[in-house]
């Protein structure tokens, strides 16, 4: 597993260097626009956490509001990166890897950040962590396995982003907090379904690979 993680880190590092190089070149700018939208979501997750922590340390509520605005921007980029990739036909293996990494980092960091104000958000962190572990397990154990996101995995992003957005409104009053808590619970249920769907789909793919390998050897 350690070898696979190092491999993906190298691919991520090399792809990121190439992305910046091509984005700031006039001839190759368009094909990296989608990746830059995705990368900006990655940066926004770190900025959100920094602003929230500073809001606690410095007792400045405005910084917490700013962190909510940054989170909203990060969520919106999930729409723009896909649209840009389709518009310029710039889909790539690095783009898919970047999108997967960014989605996980964004959701995990923001949920931990919101857990400082509402501990219930820890279950979103747990849900995303479980999904990540499942993906890492299958990728490390079955190197020939091409793992794609399931439909429900893509749908999951909608309640997830709604829950994260509501988290920044929950300190206003108990009504917002109650709505946010319900949304978090719904998101966690969807996360469980997604985790199970990944296990089922990956096991189906493994059976197909084993059958193919058996046919080739006979």
């Amino acid at each position: 597993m350690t070898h696979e993680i190092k491999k993906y880190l190298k691919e991520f590092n090399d792809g990121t260097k190439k992305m910046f190089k091509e984005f700031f070149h006039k001839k190759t700018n368009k094909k990296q626009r989608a990746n830059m939208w995705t990368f900006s979501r990655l940066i926004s997750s770190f900025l959100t956490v920094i602003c929230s922590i500073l809001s606690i340390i410095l007792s400045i509520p405005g910084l917490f509001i700013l962190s909510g605005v940054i989170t909203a921007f990060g969520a919106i980029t999930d729409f723009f990166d896909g649209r840009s990739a389709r518009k310029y036909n710039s889909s790539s293996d690095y783009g898919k890897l970047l999108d997967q990494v960014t989605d996980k980092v964004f959701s995990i960091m923001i949920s931990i950040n919101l857990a400082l104000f509402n501990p219930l958000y820890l279950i979103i962190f747990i849900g995303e962590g479980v999904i990540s572990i499942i993906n890492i397990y299958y990728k490390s154990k079955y190197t020939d396995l091409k793992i794609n996101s399931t439909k429900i995995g893509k749908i999951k992003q909608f309640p997830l982003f709604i829950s994260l957005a509501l988290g920044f409104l929950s300190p206003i009053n108990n009504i917002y907090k109650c709505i946010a808590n319900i949304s978090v619970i719904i998101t966690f249920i969807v996360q469980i379904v997604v985790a199970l769907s990944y296990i089922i789909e990956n096991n189906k793919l493994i059976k197909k690979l084993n059958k193919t390998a058996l046919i080739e050897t006979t």
Side-chain angles (χ1 to χ4, degrees), residues 157-168:
Q157 295 301 98
F158 180 72
L160 175 61
F161 287 156
I162 292 294
S163 295
L164 296 180
L166 288 170
F168 289 95

Side-chain angles (χ1 to χ4, degrees), residues 26 71 79 82 118 174 179 184 209 213:
K26 189 176 181 179
T71 298
F79 165 77
N118 184 350
N174 289 330
I179 295 172
V184 168
L209 288 174

Side-chain angles (χ1 to χ4, degrees), residues 14 16 18 56 63 68 94 124 153 163 168-169 171 173-174 184 189 206:
D14 293 342
T16 302
K18 181 182 178 181
I56 296 172
L63 287 174
Y94 167 73
I124 286 183
S163 295
F168 289 95
L169 296 175
N173 58 49
N174 289 330
V184 168
I189 292 171
I206 291 167

